[in-house]
Amino acid sequence: MELPTVSGQELALWRDRAKQDAIAAGVSPDEVDWLLEEVADLDKLSLRLESFKERSQIPLKQPLSVLTELWQQRLQDRMPVQYLAGVAPWRHFSLKVATGVLIPRPETELLVDLAVRAIQASPTPDLASGYWVDLGTGSGAIALGLVEALPNATIYATDTSAEALAIARQNAIALGFGERIKFCQGSWWSPLEALKGRVSGMVSNPPYIPTSEIARLQPEVARHEPLLALDGGSDGLDCIRHLVETAPDYLCPGGIWLIEMMAGQAKQVVQLLQKRGCYDKIQIFCDLANIERFALAYRC
Ligand SMILES: C[S@@+](CC[C@H](N)C(=O)[O-])C[C@H]1O[C@@H](n2cnc3c(N)ncnc32)[C@H](O)[C@@H]1O
């Protein structure tokens, strides 16, 4: 199907107006350019230098009238721009997203690097080539990071959300990893009974926001991201507690347990791991904003 087109001049006028409206609504005007990169396939340089203005025809994935409606949704409904564009950048992937999945966050990218470092730091042989699981896969981001970083591993990804799994599967196929990630619907480990005692590593970014705090999050998150991806119960630790409790049945000796958590949860997560009595070398890592964000442990 032929794409709609617009002249560079017309698009420049639309962009200026959209940026002014963004500023008036307290939204970063840079998001306009991010949206244009996605829907008009313009690169950062041509947007910064405004060289696109000279072009007589710029193909758009959506007509300008639809873009205007989308931008109004961004400003009035506080719909995140990634949902409007239908994609989110994560590591060097461009992942499909929709309102049924959490928008993968930049800090979560570090989980993949931490998993690789944990393997390198471990005396247990063959951890890089065994079974790895991403529990609560959402868009499939972590599973995709792992499959690329661990070329000899077999990756399983679970989620209770059928909508999330459908998107994760599409992302895996689009990136050429459809054969290497096995997606299973179900709660945490429950679809993976057959892997008991054999898993080299578990990575998860579970829901960890205390229920009472969700309504106070930015409207972009509270109104539009799936509650199932956010709500960690009364103290935010329900899912993490479950993963501490259940993982020892599935991890091989020396296997890696690695999660993302919220600021302020590190001390309690360390206590939970210690109390379980099946983990050693428990460590906390910070994200790029220096927030204690990740907990790592090895199955004894
Ligand atoms: C914070 S999101 C993380 C999504 C993705 N891994 C990421 O980092 O962008 C948590 C995910 O856990 C899933 N989830 C919630 N409860 C679950 C459960 N009982 N079993 C498996 N997945 C669950 C949600 O559907 C959501 O996709």
Side-chain angles (χ1 to χ4, degrees):
M1 207 175 60
E2 215 166 285
L3 292 176
T5 60
V6 67
S7 74
Q9 290 294 338
E10 212 181 334
L11 193 61
L13 284 174
W14 185 89
R15 176 182 180 236
D16 288 347
R17 178 70 199 268
K19 286 191 177 212
Q20 281 165 21
D21 291 349
I23 293 166
V27 167
S28 167
D30 295 344
E31 289 192 14
V32 176
D33 285 353
W34 191 87
L35 186 64
L36 290 179
E37 279 178 49
E38 294 302 328
V39 297
D41 205 19
L42 295 174
D43 59 38
K44 285 188 176 52
L45 192 63
S46 76
L47 284 160
R48 187 147 56 85
L49 301 179
E50 300 197 334
S51 53
F52 71 90
K53 277 183 176 175
E54 314 306 325
R55 290 172 56 186
S56 59
Q57 284 200 324
I58 298 173
L60 296 176
K61 287 182 192 156
Q62 310 272 13
L64 211 50
S65 56
V66 174
L67 272 193
T68 303
E69 279 168 28
L70 290 179
W71 195 244
Q72 285 314 310
Q73 250 184 302
R74 172 72 193 99
L75 302 184
Q76 285 165 14
D77 303 344
R78 296 282 151 164
M79 175 72 88
V81 70
Q82 295 91 336
Y83 288 149
L84 295 179
V87 290
W90 195 82
R91 288 177 77 87
H92 59 272
F93 305 131
S94 176
L95 298 180
K96 178 184 162 96
V97 291
T99 49
V101 289
L102 187 93
I103 297 164
R105 304 294 202 268
E107 57 269 27
T108 307
E109 297 181 4
L110 288 178
L111 273 175
V112 177
D113 303 313
L114 286 172
V116 171
R117 270 163 49 190
I119 295 169
Q120 288 162 352
S122 165
T124 308
D126 302 329
L127 280 183
S129 57
Y131 296 111
W132 277 76
V133 300
D134 168 16
L135 302 185
T137 195
S139 61
I142 296 170
L144 287 160
L146 289 175
V147 83
E148 191 182 51
L150 306 176
N152 297 317
T154 303
I155 314 292
Y156 282 80
T158 72
D159 208 296
T160 43
S161 159
E163 207 178 339
L165 281 175
I167 289 177
R169 229 180 244 116
Q170 286 174 45
N171 280 324
I173 291 167
L175 292 164
F177 295 123
E179 299 294 314
R180 280 195 52 217
I181 307 178
K182 300 182 193 336
F183 293 100
C184 312
Q185 190 175 6
S187 185
W188 306 124
W189 293 98
S190 58
L192 306 177
E193 285 275 315
L195 301 185
K196 270 192 169 165
R198 297 196 290 151
V199 174
S200 300
M202 177 212 90
V203 185
S204 183
N205 173 21
Y208 51 61
I209 317 266
T211 311
S212 60
E213 288 186 28
I214 291 174
R216 291 199 294 269
L217 297 173
Q218 290 171 291
E220 282 80 354
V221 181
R223 275 195 227 157
H224 297 288
E225 297 209 76
L227 189 62
L228 184 65
L230 304 173
D231 191 350
S234 58
D235 64 355
L237 292 169
D238 281 3
C239 305
I240 295 177
R241 220 178 268 117
H242 179 80
L243 295 177
V244 170
E245 199 53 39
T246 49
D249 286 345
Y250 290 85
L251 291 174
C252 65
I256 290 164
W257 187 95
L258 175 61
I259 59 135
E260 180 175 319
M261 64 197 156
M262 193 171 122
Q265 291 177 335
K267 197 170 149 202
Q268 285 159 290
V269 173
V270 169
Q271 282 168 356
L272 289 170
L273 287 162
Q274 285 169 338
K275 202 168 144 217
R276 181 69 173 87
C278 295
Y279 299 97
D280 66 5
K281 290 182 268 165
I282 299 166
Q283 296 157 70
I284 298 296
F285 294 91
C286 290
D287 63 17
L288 297 176
N290 220 21
I291 292 168
E292 290 184 324
R293 176 69 69 191
F294 310 104
L296 168 71
Y298 293 84
R299 168 86 169 96
C300 295

